[in-house]
Amino acid sequence: MTTRRHLYGWATPNTHRVSILLEELGLPYSVTGVNIRAREQFAPEILALNPFGKVPILVEETDGAPPLVLFESGAILIHLAEAHGRFLPGAGVARADTLAWLMVALTGVGPATAQAHHWLGLAPEKPDPAQAYARAVVDRVYRFLDGRLAEVPYLAGTDISIADFAAYPWVARHGWAERDLAETPHLAAWFARLGQRPGVRAGMAVPEGVVLA
C-alpha cells in the first residue's frame, strides 16, 4: 500500500518539529504553506482539518483507507515515530524517558520561548516586569536542559529521539529570547551537533524560501 503525506505548515518551530522528523525518517511528503502572519490558519479549508486553527497538520492518505488527519506537533511526532519504529523506544525506561523529555520540549521550551518572543519582540507595549519574567522562565528552562546535557548526549539519553527534534527548532529561536547559547555550553554543543544532521537542516528549510521573523 502507498501512503501519501501532506504537511500544512509555515516556518514555525512547531512545523519544523514535524518536517525534521519526516526528513530524518526519509519519508516523502508534500507541503502547503499556511502563512500565520496573514492568519491563513483560520481559512475554512484549514479549520476543516484542525478546528483549533493551528499548524502543523499532517494528512496521511493510504490506498483503501480514509484519510488520517493529525494535528498538534507532539501527537504527530509520536504517531510517526511509532508507525516507523524509530526515535521512540517501544517500552521500558527508554520510552518513559523519551516521552518525559518530549513533554519538557512541548510544555517548557516552546511556551517559554514563545512568551519571550511576545514580550521582547511582538507586543506593542513591553512592560519591564513582563520582560523580566519571560527572560527568567527561558533561563530556567535552558539551564535545566544544560544540566541534563552535561550528563548525556541527547535529551532522552544516549540515542537521539523525538524529544531532541521537538526541542531543537525552539532552541534555534534563542534570539527571540535574546539568549546567548554560550551561557549554557552543553546545550550549545547539543545544538551544534544536531544542526550538522542533513535531516535537521532540510526540515528547518520547510516551506522552501519562507522565513518567519
Side-chain angles (χ1 to χ4, degrees), residues 2-157:
T2 300
T3 298
R4 297 172 295 281
R5 297 173 190 84
H6 196 90
L7 175 64
Y8 295 81
W10 200 236
T12 66
N14 287 349
T15 295
H16 287 157
R17 288 168 166 169
V18 177
S19 55
I20 285 172
L21 182 56
L22 287 166
E23 295 287 345
E24 288 279 342
L25 289 170
L27 299 175
Y29 65 102
S30 56
V31 181
T32 292
V34 181
N35 187 341
I36 64 169
R37 293 287 190 251
R39 298 178 65 80
E40 290 177 358
Q41 68 270 35
F42 300 113
E45 60 271 24
I46 301 301
L47 291 176
L49 298 171
N50 180 3
F52 202 9
K54 292 174 60 181
V55 293
I57 302 165
L58 183 68
V59 179
E60 292 189 338
E61 295 181 285
T62 302
D63 296 340
L68 176 63
V69 180
L70 296 143
F71 53 85
E72 291 296 328
S73 60
I76 299 171
L77 294 182
I78 292 171
H79 164 75
L80 288 172
E82 288 185 334
H84 298 278
R86 294 180 64 195
F87 305 119
L88 175 61
V93 173
R95 179 180 176 86
D97 285 347
T98 301
L99 291 174
W101 286 97
L102 173 64
M103 296 306 136
V104 170
L106 298 179
T107 67
V109 184
T113 310
Q115 180 173 246
H117 185 38
H118 175 77
W119 289 116
L120 302 177
L122 299 178
E125 298 182 3
K126 301 176 177 63
D128 290 342
Q131 292 191 49
Y133 178 77
R135 286 192 175 95
V137 172
V138 170
D139 182 71
R140 181 173 182 264
V141 172
Y142 273 46
R143 293 192 183 282
F144 180 50
L145 297 180
D146 194 63
R148 172 65 170 174
L149 293 166
E151 300 173 348
V152 292
Y154 299 105
L155 291 177

Side-chain angles (χ1 to χ4, degrees), residues 124-205:
E125 298 182 3
K126 301 176 177 63
D128 290 342
Q131 292 191 49
Y133 178 77
R135 286 192 175 95
V137 172
V138 170
D139 182 71
R140 181 173 182 264
V141 172
Y142 273 46
R143 293 192 183 282
F144 180 50
L145 297 180
D146 194 63
R148 172 65 170 174
L149 293 166
E151 300 173 348
V152 292
Y154 299 105
L155 291 177
T158 57
D159 297 321
I160 197 166
S161 73
I162 56 173
D164 301 287
F165 301 149
Y168 180 89
W170 281 103
V171 177
R173 294 295 189 170
H174 57 272
W176 283 355
E178 300 178 357
R179 184 78 188 188
D180 183 355
L181 285 186
E183 298 177 35
T184 46
H186 304 291
L187 179 62
W190 166 91
F191 180 74
R193 189 162 59 252
L194 261 70
Q196 295 172 359
R197 296 175 68 94
V200 171
R201 292 200 301 269
M204 290 292 290

